[in-house]
Amino acid sequence: SDYDTLQVDGYYVVYRNKPFLNPRALIHATNIEPQSIYCANDVTRTYAGLNRIECLKYVNIRFVNDKEDPHSLDTYIVLSPNKDNIFSLDVEGTNTAGDLGGALTFSYIQQNIFKGGEVFNANVRGAYEALSASLQNDYWEYGGEVSLTLPKLAMPFVGKSKNRSAATTAFNLSYDNLQRPEFLRTTMSAAMSYSWQNAYARHTFNPLDFAYTYMPRIDSTFEANYMKEGSYLKYSYEDQFIVHTAYNFSYSSVPSGIDQKNRHYYTLRANAEAGGNLLYLAYKQFGTPNEDGQYTIGNIPFSQYLKGEFEVTEHIPFSENLRLAYRLGVGVAY
């Protein structure tokens, strides 16, 4: 008598007090459809889809014969909630060649922030190390990161589909400030990504990935030793501004969850990435280059590149204890 029921799209959502999760988020993750033929794969996919929602602690699906119709089954999906808020504090101690230091990280996770299974994560970190070789400056680092993960494809012009229940949309922001006797470095990044998969393939699409590195101070001795012309470390200690888009695809001939032992199977991986090209076209039309002929954002030239990679791997079993595996990869960057 203390339960209420909502009817949504042919499903009955039974709850006490109020639903702890949006019923449509549950239905989107459920592959068992009312009035459909029983299918064991639908049950497996429903378990997988609901277990991906982090605010759910337990998922149990049971079937009961319908008393009025012996050829029908009543399906009960019983869910229990997990903790919404998680706090953690991590303490580290370090000893690097006699230099003592430590770090402190505070993290907060909200596993159902908008009542649709969305996960919000935030952390703040600080680190210190006493450098015995330096009489002036020690090692300091502080920063933080926030992220939001949605259990769906929040993509324009893409409708909801149960075939895409294994999908996520993620947003991420981070900041880090590092101070050493040799240099001072500030880095910031922002990213947005879509990920979806089925039994055989996984896709990841980053429509926008932004990274910014600013080096306001570099010791002259350090610069002379590590930033020589032609040194591969040189670019690691220069100001950087990168805006890129990327797509990654992976495929396996054996579906996930199936034991690959003693099976003949192959995998394919491909990645395509482009950085700064749309910015370059826009600046070429409306911007003015600097003295070196470079287009800049905040006096920092932005990177521009194209990159592609492809890899194939095959496993050929000859016996229970003997198999041949090979991998072939090719990549090109400009």
Side-chain angles (χ1 to χ4, degrees):
S1 60
D2 58 343
Y3 282 86
D4 288 321
T5 303
L6 285 175
Q7 187 173 359
V8 183
D9 298 338
Y11 295 84
Y12 292 90
V13 183
V14 184
Y15 60 94
R16 182 187 279 126
N17 298 325
K18 62 180 181 179
F20 66 89
L21 194 63
N22 189 320
R24 295 197 180 278
L26 294 174
I27 293 171
H28 180 65
T30 302
N31 280 80
I32 301 172
E33 306 241 359
Q35 309 302 321
S36 64
I37 302 298
Y38 172 85
C39 175
N41 286 337
D42 289 341
V43 179
T44 301
R45 285 195 290 267
T46 298
Y47 268 117
L50 292 172
N51 281 319
R52 274 190 293 269
I53 301 177
E54 295 189 29
C55 64
L56 295 178
K57 188 174 184 179
Y58 297 115
V59 178
N60 181 42
I61 303 175
R62 58 190 177 92
F63 299 91
V64 179
N65 286 314
D66 191 313
K67 295 180 180 179
E68 298 181 0
D69 184 358
H71 300 292
S72 295
L73 292 171
D74 291 331
T75 307
Y76 295 88
I77 303 176
V78 184
L79 310 172
S80 61
N82 209 342
K83 294 180 179 179
D84 281 351
N85 299 290
I86 301 173
F87 299 89
S88 65
L89 184 66
D90 296 327
V91 181
E92 305 172 38
T94 60
N95 183 344
T96 308
D99 295 335
L100 300 179
L104 194 66
T105 304
F106 174 76
S107 300
Y108 167 68
I109 301 175
Q110 220 294 356
Q111 300 194 111
N112 192 24
I113 189 168
F114 301 126
K115 304 303 179 184
E118 305 89 353
V119 178
F120 173 79
N121 193 333
N123 67 72
V124 179
R125 183 177 188 273
Y128 170 80
E129 187 174 284
L131 303 178
S132 57
S134 173
L135 300 178
Q136 297 179 342
N137 296 305
D138 293 331
Y139 168 106
W140 283 94
E141 184 177 13
Y142 59 88
E145 183 178 11
V146 293
S147 65
L148 176 66
T149 303
L150 313 179
K152 60 183 179 181
L153 281 184
M155 188 182 294
F157 312 112
V158 175
K160 296 181 179 180
S161 169
K162 293 183 184 296
N163 294 327
R164 288 189 290 271
S165 61
T168 59
T169 301
F171 305 89
N172 183 277
L173 290 171
S174 68
Y175 172 85
D176 184 78
N177 185 280
L178 173 62
Q179 178 178 303
R180 292 186 60 90
E182 302 90 350
F183 59 83
L184 175 62
R185 179 172 65 193
T186 299
T187 58
M188 293 181 288
S189 67
M192 177 182 181
S193 65
Y194 299 104
S195 178
W196 66 99
Q197 67 183 60
N198 57 31
Y200 295 92
R202 180 180 179 86
H203 309 260
T204 302
F205 175 51
N206 297 79
L208 179 64
D209 199 319
F210 155 86
Y212 171 79
T213 301
Y214 177 53
M215 306 285 297
R217 175 180 60 80
I218 300 178
D219 179 75
S220 57
T221 304
F222 180 85
E223 185 174 6
N225 290 335
Y226 297 101
M227 300 182 64
K228 302 174 186 177
E229 200 62 41
S231 170
Y232 71 93
L233 288 174
K234 182 175 184 291
Y235 295 104
S236 300
Y237 299 99
E238 290 187 342
D239 295 339
Q240 302 278 352
F241 195 103
I242 302 172
V243 180
H244 80 263
T245 300
Y247 171 73
N248 182 273
F249 169 79
S250 62
Y251 173 86
S252 175
S253 62
V254 175
S256 60
I258 302 298
D259 186 7
Q260 296 178 339
K261 186 178 180 181
N262 297 325
R263 288 180 179 268
H264 181 184
Y265 70 95
Y266 65 91
T267 61
L268 302 174
R269 292 184 179 90
N271 180 70
E273 192 172 317
N277 299 293
L278 293 178
L279 274 177
Y280 174 78
L281 292 177
Y283 270 70
K284 192 174 182 180
Q285 294 294 323
F286 306 106
T288 302
N290 62 12
E291 297 175 353
D292 298 322
Q294 300 171 319
Y295 295 105
T296 62
I297 297 178
N299 295 325
I300 298 177
F302 56 83
S303 300
Q304 186 182 1
Y305 64 91
L306 293 170
K307 185 173 73 170
E309 299 170 274
F310 178 79
E311 179 184 284
V312 59
T313 305
E314 186 171 17
H315 293 256
I316 305 171
F318 294 108
S319 67
E320 185 175 352
N321 299 314
L322 180 64
R323 68 167 58 196
L324 170 68
Y326 74 87
R327 182 175 63 186
L328 176 66
V330 62
V332 61
Y334 174 74

